[in-house]
Each structure stands twice: as C-alpha cells, then as structure tokens.
Amino acid sequence: MTPDALEGALRRPFAEPANDRVLDAAREAFEDVGIQRTTMRDIARRAGLGRATVYRRYPDRDAVVAAVLMREVRVFLTWLDERIDHIEDPAEQIAECFVAVVTGLRGHSLLNRLLTLEPAAALPALTVDAGAVLAVARGYLAAKLREHQQAGRLRSFDPEPAAEVFVRLAHSMLLSPPGCIPADDDAWSRAFARTHLVPVVTG
Amino acid sequence: MTPDALEGALRRPFAEPANDRVLDAAREAFEDVGIQRTTMRDIARRAGLGRATVYRRYPDRDAVVAAVLMREVRVFLTWLDERIDHIEDPAEQIAECFVAVVTGLRGHSLLNRLLTLEPAAALPALTVDAGAVLAVARGYLAAKLREHQQAGRLRSFDPEPAAEVFVRLAHSMLLSPPGCIPADDDAWSRAFARTHLVPVVTG
C-alpha cells in the first residue's frame, strides 16, 4: 500500500456519513448486547435508517462486523500516528510504537469485550478473514519504514515483510493476551522493543 | 520452562496410552466430520472405550479439543527439533527453524482444515484459550536460545520474551495465512529470517 493509498484508507470512513451511521449503530449494539444478539434490523433501528438502506450498504451482519473492525483499525492507526509521527529516530519511533500498541490493545474495550464474551462470533473476522485489516496495518508501518529509508535513516530493504513481523506480533498479542511480554509496564516494553524489535529493521 | 520440563512435556502424551487412544479417536473424528459434529459419544465409540472413561479424562469436548491441540503442538515441536537440533550456529538455526515452521504450518492438514471449515469452533482454542500451547512453544525456543547463551554463541538476555516474538509471528501466520511473507519459497524465507528475524536475538 502506498502512503497515498494508506492516507485514503485512513480517511475513507469519515467521508461517508451514512456508512458511519450504520457502523456507529452496529458498534454500539455489539458493545451493548454482543454480535450474536444483534440483528440487521437492530442495526437499522439504532441508526435511524430503513433496513433496505442498511442491506444496500452491507449484505449481511458479517459484512458489518468486518466494516466495524476495519474502521476500528483505521481509528487505532490514526490514534497511534498522533503518538509516533513526530519521532524522527527510527529506533525511538519503533519503541514508542510498541509501547502505544501494547497500551492501546489492552485498553480497547470493544475488542477485549468481544474476545471475552463472544470469541466464536468475533474471531473469524480477527483471524481467517483478517487479511485486509492486517494489510492496512502493515501498509501503515511499511510507509513509516519507507520514510526512514528515503531520509537515509534506515538501510534499504523491502519494508512490507519487515512491517508484517511487527503487525503479526501485535495481532497475536491481541488474540492471546497472556504471555511473558507484560502489557502494563511501559519502561519494560520500551527496553524490550529497543533490544529485540528495533533490530528487525536495523540489525 | 526448563529444558527438562520441556522434554517432559514433549514426551508426556506418548506415556499415557488410554489418553492417546481418546485423542487419536478425537483427531480422526475432527478430520472426518469436524469438531461441531463430533460428540463425546462418537469419540468414545471410535476409541473403543466407555463414555464414562472418556469423561473421567476429559470433562467435555472443549477439553478434548484443547488436548488434541496441545498434542499437535508437541508433535510439531518434536518434528521441528529433528530438523534444527543439530544446527550449532544460532543464525543458521533460526533461519532453518523459520523455513521449517512456515512449511510445517502450511502442510498441517488438520489445523488448516478446521480453520477453513469450522473457524468458529476451532478458533477459541487457537487464540483466547491458547495460552498453554503458546507457552510450550515459547519454552521450546527459549531452551534453544538458552543453550546458545550457555555455549557463548549468544549474548545474555532473558530468552523467554525473545522466544515469544518468534512464537507470536508463527501464531499469527497460522491464524491469518495471507500476507506478504510467502509460504512456499524456502530460499526467500531463509533470507528473510537472516535479515529480519535473526537480529531479534543478535542485534
């Protein structure tokens, strides 16, 4: 994904108000009663739209789940970018990115709630069907790496697969939180990232 | 996990033939008809055991699924170890380990079949409930890193969180196969691992 395409992907949801109304309504319903107990009718009612209007935009509830997830990823990347975009040093940026991602995943109430209460309903969109959202996240990080390369702060390599290593680490940490990488110790996360993650692109 | 504990974990399933009969029967049933259409009665019948015997060992089907998965991981690690244990150079071992894992995950018929046909039934054990299997895999890799450290081939660091980076990369690649890391090009995988993964522990 080029930086321009990424920029477009990050902005797109905010450019279509009716879609956003559907996704806001769906997100609220998923938080209130979960995915499985939310029907397309519920989503339409909460959005103040006719059912036909909702179905024209999303053929079924799985499509709504996928769209809500994609928007969450975009919002998350926008939130992340505010925290790390100003950092010029690649090592420092990667360390702060890791701290922010660990903190952000831990604090994501909708995702954590769905993973706890409705894993069977939420997991396909987050795993076997997550190709598109992982690609958006990878594109975001690859664009950052590419900027560093163009500025001569990182040597030349294909930034996409390197970015994928970071995205997949975060992906697994979201899906299976317990591990020996603590989620609530920023100083530890920062030191860990500098020792073991920064070398993925500098080593 | 200490190397001895790991050794025990790898050997344990083979030391309890009745459990193994249950797990063999369950695995066969999952491959034939999937998890959701397999009952505890089916498993008992295929195993040639009474239902009470099966229930004494595993309280419900979820417990059988978890045990089958744990045994698959142990068998996979034994298979992996045959491929990489003789390699003394840490960089070469990590590169060959990555090649073997990519190949092994791609070729794992049961896991891939369940992820394709029954994601909702198979995914909880592979994600939110995968803490124990991820810990076994991490323990295996950490033991390898520790051996290199003790032999002076790697500098000193806590090998567990470093091993977790590798395990989580493989975990995400299993759960969401499409990505820009190709699954069928050993030479590419080897070069990629040397450039971007070996530095996780040497950088």
Side-chain angles (χ1 to χ4, degrees):
Chain A
M1 185 174 289
T2 64
D4 278 358
L6 176 71
E7 189 71 2
L10 288 169
R11 294 231 172 117
R12 197 170 313 127
F14 307 107
E16 293 173 35
N19 283 9
D20 248 15
R21 259 167 81 187
V22 173
L23 301 184
D24 285 343
R27 191 191 197 288
E28 194 185 278
F30 297 160
E31 282 216 292
D32 282 355
V33 301
I35 294 173
Q36 269 162 329
R37 288 201 288 157
T38 297
T39 63
M40 290 293 268
R41 185 193 293 265
D42 297 332
I43 294 169
R45 195 172 45 230
R46 280 182 191 251
L49 295 168
R51 266 207 296 169
T53 309
V54 175
Y55 274 111
R56 227 177 1 253
R57 290 158 192 282
Y58 302 100
D60 53 28
R61 194 185 59 189
D62 284 351
V64 178
V65 171
V68 166
L69 175 62
M70 179 61 93
R71 192 176 63 162
E72 290 303 308
V73 169
R74 286 168 175 153
V75 169
F76 185 83
L77 292 178
T78 305
W79 172 89
L80 177 62
D81 206 48
E82 284 167 15
R83 271 148 197 78
I84 67 165
D85 187 47
H86 65 284
I87 305 174
E88 207 171 75
D89 178 59
E92 198 188 329
Q93 189 179 51
I94 288 167
E96 293 311 315
C97 181
F98 185 66
V99 170
V101 167
V102 166
T103 310
L105 290 184
R106 189 187 66 219
H108 200 292
S109 59
L110 176 63
L111 279 179
N112 289 307
R113 204 156 159 243
L114 293 177
L115 284 171
T116 309
L117 297 181
E118 291 192 298
L123 281 167
L126 293 168
T127 55
V128 287
D129 299 328
V133 299
L134 293 179
V136 167
R138 186 182 71 218
Y140 168 77
L141 289 183
K144 291 275 176 246
L145 296 176
R146 207 172 278 116
E147 274 177 43
H148 291 305
Q149 290 175 323
Q150 284 163 355
R153 295 187 293 263
L154 279 182
R155 66 184 161 73
S156 172
F157 54 81
D158 181 353
E160 293 278 343
E164 189 165 318
V165 174
F166 296 136
V167 170
R168 289 191 173 280
L169 172 61
H171 183 225
S172 169
M173 290 178 70
L174 167 69
L175 294 169
S176 303
C180 67
I181 296 175
D184 54 359
D185 185 339
D186 288 359
W188 191 96
S189 292
R190 198 169 281 121
F192 175 74
R194 283 188 174 273
T195 308
H196 296 293
L197 302 182
V198 170
V200 169
V201 295
T202 63
Chain B
M1 182 174 289
T2 65
D4 279 359
L6 176 72
E7 190 71 3
L10 288 170
R11 294 233 170 112
R12 197 171 311 129
F14 308 106
E16 292 171 37
N19 282 7
D20 247 14
R21 259 168 80 187
V22 174
L23 301 186
D24 285 343
R27 191 193 198 287
E28 194 184 278
F30 296 160
E31 283 216 290
D32 282 354
V33 301
I35 294 174
Q36 269 162 330
R37 288 200 288 159
T38 297
T39 63
M40 290 294 266
R41 184 194 292 266
D42 297 332
I43 295 170
R45 194 174 44 229
R46 279 181 190 253
L49 295 167
R51 266 207 296 170
T53 308
V54 175
Y55 275 111
R56 228 177 1 254
R57 290 159 192 280
Y58 303 100
D60 54 26
R61 194 185 59 189
D62 283 351
V64 177
V65 171
V68 167
L69 176 62
M70 180 61 94
R71 193 176 62 160
E72 291 302 306
V73 169
R74 285 168 176 153
V75 169
F76 185 83
L77 292 177
T78 306
W79 173 89
L80 178 62
D81 207 48
E82 283 167 15
R83 270 147 198 80
I84 68 164
D85 188 47
H86 66 283
I87 305 174
E88 205 172 76
D89 177 60
E92 198 188 330
Q93 191 180 50
I94 289 167
E96 294 310 315
C97 181
F98 184 66
V99 169
V101 167
V102 166
T103 310
L105 291 183
R106 191 187 64 219
H108 200 293
S109 59
L110 176 64
L111 279 179
N112 288 309
R113 203 155 160 244
L114 292 177
L115 284 172
T116 309
L117 297 181
E118 290 193 299
L123 282 166
L126 293 169
T127 55
V128 287
D129 300 327
V133 299
L134 293 179
V136 168
R138 186 182 71 219
Y140 167 78
L141 288 183
K144 290 275 174 246
L145 296 176
R146 207 174 275 114
E147 275 177 42
H148 290 305
Q149 290 175 323
Q150 284 162 358
R153 295 187 292 264
L154 279 182
R155 66 186 162 72
S156 171
F157 54 80
D158 181 353
E160 293 279 342
E164 189 166 318
V165 174
F166 296 136
V167 169
R168 288 190 176 280
L169 172 61
H171 183 225
S172 169
M173 289 177 70
L174 167 69
L175 294 170
S176 302
C180 68
I181 297 176
D184 53 359
D185 186 339
D186 288 0
W188 191 96
S189 292
R190 197 169 282 121
F192 175 74
R194 284 189 173 271
T195 308
H196 295 295
L197 302 182
V198 169
V200 169
V201 296
T202 63

